[in-house]
Structures are given as structure tokens and as C-alpha cells.
Amino acid sequence: MDYEYAKHIKPGTAAGVASKVWVMRLVVLAALAAVAFVVLGSQTPSPGVTLRFELYEAGVKKSDLFTRPDVAAAVFVRAVTPDGEAIVFSGPTRGSVHIPAGALADVAKNWTELLRARGHDPEDFFTALIVSLAVVNKTSGKPLFYTTYFLDYPPAKVARGDRELIYTLHVAKGRGEWRAHVAKVDREEKRGLFASYGSAPPSMKPPSVEPPKDTWCEVVNPEPPAFICWYRKAWVGVGNLTAVFPSTYFADYNGRLYMKVPVVIAVNNFTYSGSVGLSIIGGILTTSQLAVGVSLSVPGNSRSSISLASWSWGGKQYYLADGLFLGPTSSGWIWILGRPVFVSYDVYYEGPIGREYIREEDYFYIADIYISGSTIVSGKDFGLPQEIIDFFYGGVDKQRLSISNTALSDGALQPGETMWFHEIFTCGTGFEVDIPVGAVVLAVLTRTPIPITLPKGVFPGIDISLSIQGAMIEVAGSITNYGDYPGVPTDYNAPEYIYAAVSKYQYTATDLWGNTCRYQVPPVIYIEAR
């Protein structure tokens, strides 16, 4: 019905009644359309990654902090790339944030194309988002919660651009503390219509101030202006390592540089000794995944603690196998090819009261490991990686092994006996091989002055882990005393006393209620036979 005609119709006439019915129908249809819009809008996934945060103090939920007017919160997200990391989001939060697929498109496509070029299915692969959450009292500038977590996600799903990945991070702390940890992560996936990658990442600039390079500030209060800022003050990647380590430590694959990082170091010290063999094996099972861990250093009042902050690289159906055979007075190491990274940030709240320091954040990870198909490329060299060993010894204690109900129950490995690594290093379920990235990074820091407060004496003891996750398989390995081995003229049928290196520094693991477990980890598998 034409509007100009309808407005001249008199009430009470047949035409007027018809007009009234017509208007009511329009109102009903408009209401139904609005309801449909709201319902469909709430159910249609928004492609990309959504992060939700639940806060707990001593096990009590505190997520209402996000709604308080005197509280500001911001999220800073970096995506691990094959070369290191890229900033994909910085923004305020009231309990959740959404990172559109467009902001992650280049990173996700880079990973999937790289894996396909190596002959590996990208559907089996995961990498990480480095998520930092800061919750601050706006009046005092003091932090209420702060945490950083490496959230693993599948880039292949993001690259398709047709689904929303939803992660709920349960962030917990002890009573009266502000340093927090992610106690668990809930994961959900929603499929929707394909979305193009045309959407740009959100702005990461204060409204009127251009931040300097390597600085990311987020407005958390417009008037008076207040910001939470992350200042990156140190970055060590493979490119920084070439000036410190021999060229034989590096390999170039399709224009990307990788470094040998040790996973097994072995020394057969003495002249009167048997021949010793070592092996490491990680198998392929579809129910398990191989993952590379992350170390996050948290400066404390007296000393730093180190926590394993989830994973930076991994997936299903990977295979690793290598071994060493060492006669008397010989040594060697087994390596994989990786791209180690160390990053250091200072975090500040900047508001009307001035600048309030929140914390320093130091973390270590391996951005990428070189694979061919499903095989992790590895190798071995004889002698020791001296540039690493020089620092490695400063971060470990050597312990002579005597383990009941094993081949070492009498304190020595007799000729013909084998000791399995899972009998030596046991922590819960599964077994982890630790990679001494701290010793690698320290070799650079001693030659390049970098303003970090983390004591340099802590670096040698910082490691990241290579582990198999899943009930069906472990990273397996063994040490065998072959005694007088045929064809080796200088060995003897002599018992071997086995020494293992354990980090001097404690790692922490904390549950939802703030209960903390401290434990030591073996940096690399270091075995010394005497």
C-alpha cells in the first residue's frame, strides 16, 4: 500500500480498518525480522579466534572485575610464525576479545603453505598464540591479574576462514597475589559461512601518540587518558646466533635458517671403559601428538621461577629417531633443527597518576622445527657443542644414578645391561626431553649487552621440552653398556657409573586453586658414563 494514499484514509471506514490491519502486519513483520536478526546474529560464527577469560582468586571466581568502573583490562596477542612472532591483536577487554580471521590470515596461510611444501598435512599441526592479559586498578595503577600463556591453535582451520575458534582461558592466582597462570582452557568450534580476509587488524595506537618501534600501547580509559603498554626490549632469534656459533651449526632450507639444538648429549669419559650406545625414539601414533614446550621466566623477590607455559609447535604423526655409539674417551650429541627465540618485555600502566611498572616478561620457545614429511630431521656430531656446553654446565647439577628395580639398582650399568630413559626421568605420565635454550641464548647475551633484569646466572638452567602427549606413547630412549664390543680395540668389559644432569633451577606448575608444585627437569638428556 502506498504511504501517501494510506495517510489520507479516515478511521472507521472499511479502508481504514484494512489500513490498520496492514500497519499491524508491518509491525509484526518488523518485530519478527528484528528477532530473527538478533537470533541469527548471536548464532552465526564470526570467523577467527575468540578469547574468553574467567578469573579466579584462591579458587573463587572473580570475573566480575571486568565490569567494575575502577578496573581496566587489556589483551595483547602475538602469533608464533615460522620466523618468530607477529602482533595480531591489542585491545581492551571486558572478559572477551575477538581476533578476526583477517588479522591471522597471513600467519595461518604461511604455516599451511610451509607444511604442504614439506610434505606434511597441515590439518595435523598446531602452533601458538602468545596471549597476555593485564587487569589493573585504574586508581592506583596496581595490577590485579597478569598472565601470559601460549595458546595452541590449528592454523589450517583459521586459514579456511569459515569457522570461529572459541577458547575460554581460566586464569587463576593465589590469595593476595597478582601474578596469575592459566589453569585450564576450554575449547569450542563453530562453523559458519566463508568470510573474506579483507578485514584489517584493529588499530594498536594510542589516539594521539605514535608509539615507538617495538612498543604496543592500548587505551584502557579515554578520559583522563590511560594506557597499558608492552615495550619489547630484547629479541634473540636465529639471525642473532650466527655471529656466536660456528657455521656448521646452521642449515638453510628454502631461504629459512635453522640451528642445531641438542636433545641428547653423552660423554664416555675414561680410558678403562666399555663402549656405550644411546638412542632416542619418538614414534607415530594418530592418538598422540608431539609438542615443543615454552619456558616463561617470572622475576620474583629473591630469585626467578620458571614455568612451562604450554606449547609453541607440534602436531600428530611426527617421527624422531637417532642414536650414538661411543667408545672410551669419546663424546657426542644428537640434535634437531629448530629456530629458537628469546623475547623480553617491560609492561607498564600509564595513567593520570604517572607510570606504574607491572612486570618484566621473559620467555623462550622454538618457533619452528624442520621436518621432512612426518620425520623430524635430526643428526649427530661427535665431540661436544662447546659453545653451548660452556654455559650448560653452569645451569646443571650432575647426579650419579642408583635406581631400585632397574639395571642401575646396584649403582652401575654392567656389560650387556640397558637402562631406559623413562626409568631415569619420570614425571607423571610420559617423558619429556628438554632442550637447553637458555644456554644457547646466554651465548648471545654475554656478547650483546641487553637491559634485562633476569639474572644471567639463571639462563643456563632454562629449558624447553620436547614431549609426546597421549597415553599410548612416550619419547623413548636408552643407554646400553656394550662392554668389550667387537671391532673396538680399546674398550673393556667394565661397569659404567651413569651420571645425569638436572637443572639447578626449579620449574613451577600451579593448579586452579593456587597450589604450586616445584620440580627440576633434566636439561637435554645428558648422560655421562664413567
Side-chain angles (χ1 to χ4, degrees):
M1 179 179 291
D2 183 78
Y3 173 74
E4 287 300 318
Y5 167 76
K7 73 180 182 180
H8 294 292
I9 296 176
K10 295 182 180 180
T13 63
V17 172
S19 175
K20 187 175 181 180
V21 172
W22 175 76
V23 170
M24 290 178 65
R25 285 177 178 172
L26 281 182
V27 171
V28 171
L29 288 172
L32 290 174
V35 170
F37 177 80
V38 171
V39 171
L40 289 174
S42 64
Q43 292 181 346
T44 302
S46 178
V49 174
T50 296
L51 305 176
R52 296 171 179 169
F53 301 96
E54 298 287 356
L55 305 178
Y56 303 84
E57 181 176 13
V60 178
K61 197 169 184 179
K62 296 286 185 178
S63 299
D64 61 329
L65 284 174
F66 288 122
T67 64
R68 281 174 37 179
D70 62 333
V71 171
V75 177
F76 181 45
V77 183
R78 294 128 287 175
V80 173
T81 74
D83 303 307
E85 60 191 57
I87 312 301
V88 294
F89 183 86
S90 175
T93 183
R94 286 296 180 182
S96 67
V97 296
H98 179 72
I99 307 170
L104 278 166
D106 289 343
V107 173
K109 288 180 177 179
N110 192 357
W111 275 118
T112 54
E113 290 169 2
L114 181 67
L115 290 161
R116 288 193 182 103
R118 294 174 177 175
H120 189 81
D121 185 357
E123 297 294 326
D124 292 331
F125 174 78
F126 66 81
T127 180
L129 298 175
I130 311 169
V131 181
S132 293
L133 169 69
V135 182
V136 177
N137 182 296
K138 288 195 290 190
T139 304
S140 66
K142 300 294 184 182
L144 302 174
F145 278 81
Y146 189 90
T147 192
T148 292
Y149 187 74
F150 278 64
L151 176 68
D152 58 276
Y153 79 99
K157 291 184 177 181
V158 173
R160 285 198 289 274
D162 63 349
R163 62 196 66 203
E164 181 182 19
L165 305 177
I166 303 168
Y167 301 96
T168 302
L169 283 68
H170 297 264
V171 181
K173 66 173 185 174
R175 191 177 306 281
E177 299 176 353
W178 59 266
R179 291 189 181 97
H181 63 279
V182 175
K184 71 169 183 172
V185 178
D186 297 327
R187 301 164 188 265
E188 184 183 356
E189 179 180 328
K190 294 182 179 180
R191 298 191 64 176
L193 298 175
F194 178 82
S196 70
Y197 288 126
S199 55
S203 172
M204 287 171 274
K205 302 176 182 178
S208 59
V209 180
E210 179 73 29
K213 185 180 179 182
D214 292 337
T215 299
W216 292 270
C217 292
E218 183 52 47
V219 181
V220 291
N221 195 58
E223 190 60 41
F227 313 94
I228 294 176
C229 295
W230 283 263
Y231 296 90
R232 188 167 68 194
K233 57 183 180 177
W235 168 278
V236 176
V238 179
N240 307 98
L241 303 176
T242 55
V244 176
F245 295 100
S247 60
T248 55
Y249 280 37
F250 299 92
D252 188 293
Y253 290 95
N254 298 322
R256 186 169 277 115
L257 197 63
Y258 291 81
M259 178 185 175
K260 295 177 182 178
V261 289
V263 292
V264 174
I265 299 175
V267 179
N268 190 1
N269 272 346
F270 294 98
T271 303
Y272 183 72
S273 175
S275 290
V276 175
L278 293 98
S279 67
I280 182 170
I281 302 171
I284 299 178
L285 281 182
T286 57
T287 57
S288 302
Q289 62 183 22
L290 185 145
V292 181
V294 176
S295 282
L296 177 69
S297 177
V298 181
N301 295 331
S302 57
R303 60 179 293 183
S304 294
S305 63
I306 304 162
S307 63
L308 296 177
S310 195
W311 316 102
S312 65
W313 181 98
K316 295 180 180 179
Q317 302 187 30
Y318 288 116
Y319 181 73
L320 167 67
D322 224 310
L324 285 169
F325 183 88
L326 303 175
T329 67
S330 62
S331 58
W333 55 302
I334 297 172
W335 45 262
I336 59 176
L337 291 169
R339 293 177 60 83
V341 175
F342 163 70
V343 188
S344 182
Y345 283 90
D346 273 335
V347 187
Y348 285 91
Y349 173 73
E350 301 183 10
I353 60 171
R355 203 178 197 213
E356 184 72 26
Y357 184 63
I358 296 177
R359 63 164 288 176
E360 178 181 84
E361 184 170 272
D362 303 303
Y363 52 81
F364 305 74
Y365 64 95
I366 286 185
D368 188 25
I369 290 176
Y370 188 72
I371 59 172
S372 177
S374 294
T375 300
I376 294 177
V377 175
S378 65
K380 54 181 171 285
D381 289 324
F382 292 94
L384 294 176
Q386 204 60 50
E387 294 77 10
I388 298 173
I389 285 291
D390 288 344
F391 297 107
F392 170 76
Y393 284 138
V396 301
D397 291 318
K398 297 178 189 176
Q399 299 178 356
R400 179 179 165 183
L401 302 178
S402 180
I403 305 171
S404 59
N405 301 316
T406 71
L408 285 175
S409 58
D410 59 354
L413 197 63
Q414 302 297 329
E417 288 185 333
T418 294
M419 188 74 185
W420 293 93
F421 287 154
H422 73 265
E423 297 177 298
I424 301 174
F425 309 116
T426 304
C427 183
T429 59
F431 168 64
E432 296 183 350
V433 178
D434 290 278
I435 302 169
V437 293
V440 173
V441 171
L442 186 58
V444 177
L445 297 185
T446 53
R447 304 184 189 191
T448 308
I450 294 177
I452 58 172
T453 59
L454 181 66
K456 289 188 177 179
V458 172
F459 276 85
I462 294 178
D463 313 290
I464 59 179
S465 60
L466 175 68
S467 71
I468 295 287
Q469 297 173 293
M472 300 298 293
I473 190 170
E474 298 175 336
V475 175
S478 65
I479 176 170
T480 300
N481 180 1
Y482 289 103
D484 185 4
Y485 193 82
V488 181
T490 59
D491 59 5
Y492 300 88
N493 279 321
E496 297 291 340
Y497 300 100
I498 306 300
Y499 288 74
V502 176
S503 176
K504 290 180 180 178
Y505 299 92
Q506 291 184 327
Y507 282 68
T508 61
T510 315
D511 63 19
L512 188 61
W513 291 270
N515 300 313
T516 299
C517 170
R518 292 181 172 85
Y519 57 96
Q520 290 176 301
V521 293
V524 219
I525 297 172
Y526 175 91
I527 298 293
E528 192 170 305
R530 300 184 183 181

